[in-house]
Amino acid sequence: MPISRHFKSRKNRKGQSLIETLTGFMILIPIGLLSYDLTYILIATQNNEMLADNAARAAASHSDPVTAQDSAQKALGDFQQTSNYGTVALNDFTYNDENNGQVSLTMTMTIKIPVVFGPWSTMTVNAQSVQPIVGIPAPR
Amino acid sequence: MDKLHSQNNTNRALVYRGKHGASLALVAVCAGILILSIVLIFRIVMYLGGVQELNSTADAAALNIAKRSMEIKTSPSVTQYGGVFSDCTDSQGQIGLSNINRIWGKAYLINANVEEMTANQQITNAASTAADRAYQAAQEINDDLYAKLKDSFTLGSFFDQIAGIRFHKMLGNPQVSSDTNNNWSTALIDRGDQSNLAANSNQIPGPAKSRFAGVAVGNNTYLPGYFPMQANNKNFYYISFHNGETTHLVTENYFQRNRGDKLGLADISNPLPNAFSGYGATANSMNSHSFAVANPQRQYNLSTPHAFVSISLVNLAYWIVQGRQVNVTTYGFTPATQFGANHIPLGASGNNYLDGYASLGNEFQGSNSLWTALTSIQQDPTDVLASVVQRMQEITPDFSLSNLQQLLQQQQLLPNASTYIIYPSYSNLDATNPSIKIAVVTQPPNKSLPKWLNTAAGNDGQQKTLATKEPVQDDPNYNWQMVYGPNFQSGQHWTEVGGNIDWTPSTGYSQTLGQLTIMHTTRAFFTANQVN
């Protein structure tokens, strides 16, 4: 057998392995990174919902809409200080003490995707919460 | 040899081709397992998140039930004798969890008054009946409210009001409702802690006072919640509501340990709960429980709001000629001469007679006030006024002896007035925060008095003398006489001026808490001596 043909086939085998390994990595690593992103988004969404509930409950313990909204903002501020998911904003705050006696609000979180895929670097999620107002004394 | 090499190359190629295919397959399998794992973890996280959402909904709904339990109300008119509690309702004339303690508090005071009257031997059948009716009425109001607080439909609607509008994205937004719940358990929590009824032991009369068990919180004392107190052989209870707290969640363990159906109150029928449970489920039978305690954030004073104490003045003059009482008259509050023994015959001939005169009302000379009228009999009236002060403290707990003295000093004695009342005036519709006033009772009634005030209400206890002034001769009232006829001449004449202070207690069932009677008595003695 000629020596060059033997040597060529060995080089081809090594090249094939490298390509297969790289191909494997190119498939598995993005899948892994995507799953990390998904998990991050899920956890951030859950935290956003908990924040919405906590802020609404804090607001509901007050007897007037101004202090109620301030309390909700404070809950948001405290969350923002300790989390790094992204920015959170309080929207659609309603303190209805006349009709249904409820506080409702929406928390909008703009999540910074940890692993950026192309143009997909942020994601916005909303969480709504409704809580009964407990801060108003029973009428005389 | 070439054939062998070719065969070897073919074999190696076959082996090499097999290994090449295995790597890709391995990658494909790993990718598939990875993707499946991701999907599985995703579903688990979504499920756990959904459970969290469901629990949050149950929390919010339980809070709504506890908060709106304050809106469940009843009326005093549900019971035959409920009119006695018309002064303990809210501004709409209704009774709910926030003010039911006022009902029980007034019933307790009425019965404590009866217990005192029994101990002091001043009890009457009317008073005993009043206490029984007050207790019966309080229990019937309590029972009606109890039934309403247990109504599944009402509690379920409170639950659904919140649960029906909350979102559960991680569960696919199913509807959460209470439709499948038929066990709206309630609890009596914070037993032995404060109620929302402030009180002090000075408000409680007689023997019941020794059983007073207040809960000190800050500068105030409150009646204990879910800790029965006895008066007149009956048990009274109050609902626990912590001062400074709002309606809030409680743990399941704490709730279950204090459930009313598992751990009731001894000798108390249908104790009203202060804690409620919320249960909701989705269509696929995922469910959640939560528990909350209600708090009205209102405090009241133990009191009998629509009540009064009266002070009655009686000045009597007895006219005694030759040892025989010939006349009884009343006299006023300013010095005046009375001709009470008019042409009284002396002897049998009919030719002799006596005219007797007296200067009466001199007790009130100088400072002409209720206080003077009182102190002219008892110089230091502290002891006799103690009963009045205690009864007034059943209207407002911070009423003091000095308040009473000030009212009595400022009230001038009016010429034709014999009765005065000390009563509360309210600016709130729910009869709280009174200001105490004094006024004269007139016929027809003074229009400046509150409309609720019934000055004609009678006292249902027995009168008892608290203080007696020993008669003093010719001071300050005195008399003189004129004797006519041939056979008699003027003899000795003198007055004996004394008096007493009486107290007639009352239960408060018919508004009156008692009457202090200040009686001045002047006996005018006239004598004549036969000359022949």
Side-chain angles (χ1 to χ4, degrees), chain A residues 56 59 69 72-73 76 89-96 102-108 126-130, chain B residues 167:
Chain A
Q69 186 160 2
Q73 285 285 4
L76 191 162
L90 173 64
N91 298 316
D92 302 329
F93 181 85
T94 306
Y95 183 94
N96 190 339
Q102 295 165 0
V103 165
S104 64
L105 55 79
T106 303
M107 283 295 185
T108 302
N126 291 321
Q128 289 170 294
S129 181
V130 179
Chain B
F167 295 94

Side-chain angles (χ1 to χ4, degrees), chain A residues 13 20 49 101 126 138 140, chain B residues 16 20 53 91 169 298:
Chain A
R13 286 200 297 273
E20 285 166 8
E49 291 198 356
N126 291 321
R140 282 202 172 277
Chain B
Y16 184 71
H20 180 90
E53 286 176 335
S91 56
K169 287 184 287 195
R298 288 262 178 238

Side-chain angles (χ1 to χ4, degrees), chain A residues 24-36 38-39, chain B residues 26-42:
Chain A
F25 281 153
M26 283 171 63
I27 295 170
L28 292 176
I29 289 176
I31 292 173
L33 292 175
L34 188 65
S35 70
Y36 176 74
L38 282 175
T39 307
Chain B
L26 194 61
V27 167
V29 168
C30 286
I33 291 172
L34 191 60
I35 289 169
L36 279 174
S37 300
I38 290 166
V39 169
L40 183 64
I41 292 170
F42 179 82

Side-chain angles (χ1 to χ4, degrees), chain B residues 283-417:
Chain B
N284 60 356
S285 303
M286 286 183 71
N287 60 71
S288 184
H289 254 127
S290 191
F291 310 89
V293 61
N295 195 309
Q297 301 167 74
R298 288 262 178 238
Q299 286 76 45
Y300 299 96
N301 287 324
L302 173 68
S303 71
T304 304
H306 284 177
F308 62 89
V309 170
S310 56
I311 298 176
S312 173
L313 293 140
V314 180
N315 301 331
L316 291 176
Y318 297 90
W319 303 83
I320 301 147
V321 176
Q322 298 289 69
R324 183 172 63 91
Q325 184 173 304
V326 299
N327 198 3
V328 179
T329 62
T330 59
Y331 58 95
F333 308 105
T334 52
T337 298
Q338 279 196 8
F339 181 27
N342 182 6
H343 223 69
I344 305 299
L346 297 170
S349 64
N351 297 326
N352 306 280
Y353 58 93
L354 182 148
D355 285 339
Y357 304 83
S359 175
L360 303 169
N362 296 294
E363 304 97 318
F364 309 102
Q365 199 163 31
S367 174
N368 194 16
S369 70
L370 269 176
W371 182 256
T372 309
L374 190 65
T375 52
S376 66
I377 294 179
Q378 180 89 348
Q379 203 167 0
D380 179 7
T382 304
D383 288 343
V384 302
L385 291 180
S387 297
V388 177
V389 172
Q390 182 277 317
R391 284 301 200 266
M392 287 306 300
Q393 287 175 340
E394 293 186 19
I395 299 174
T396 178
D398 53 2
F399 191 82
S400 66
L401 178 62
S402 62
N403 295 139
L404 180 59
Q405 182 175 342
Q406 197 175 2
L407 286 170
L408 297 178
Q409 283 173 338
Q410 83 190 26
Q411 180 60 54
Q412 294 297 299
L413 297 175
L414 302 176
N416 297 319

Side-chain angles (χ1 to χ4, degrees), chain B residues 65-88:
Chain B
I65 292 173
K67 166 200 140 172
R68 295 201 65 185
S69 66
M70 295 292 155
E71 299 172 16
I72 298 173
K73 305 253 177 118
T74 183
S75 163
S77 61
V78 296
T79 168
Q80 180 183 2
Y81 306 117
V84 66
F85 297 119
S86 61
D87 54 350
C88 297

Side-chain angles (χ1 to χ4, degrees), chain B residues 150-172:
Chain B
K150 288 288 202 178
D151 179 53
S152 301
F153 181 78
T154 304
L155 298 177
S157 68
F158 290 161
F159 185 96
D160 293 338
Q161 183 193 22
I162 289 285
I165 57 174
R166 283 177 61 95
F167 295 94
H168 311 91
K169 287 184 287 195
M170 297 205 177
L171 291 175

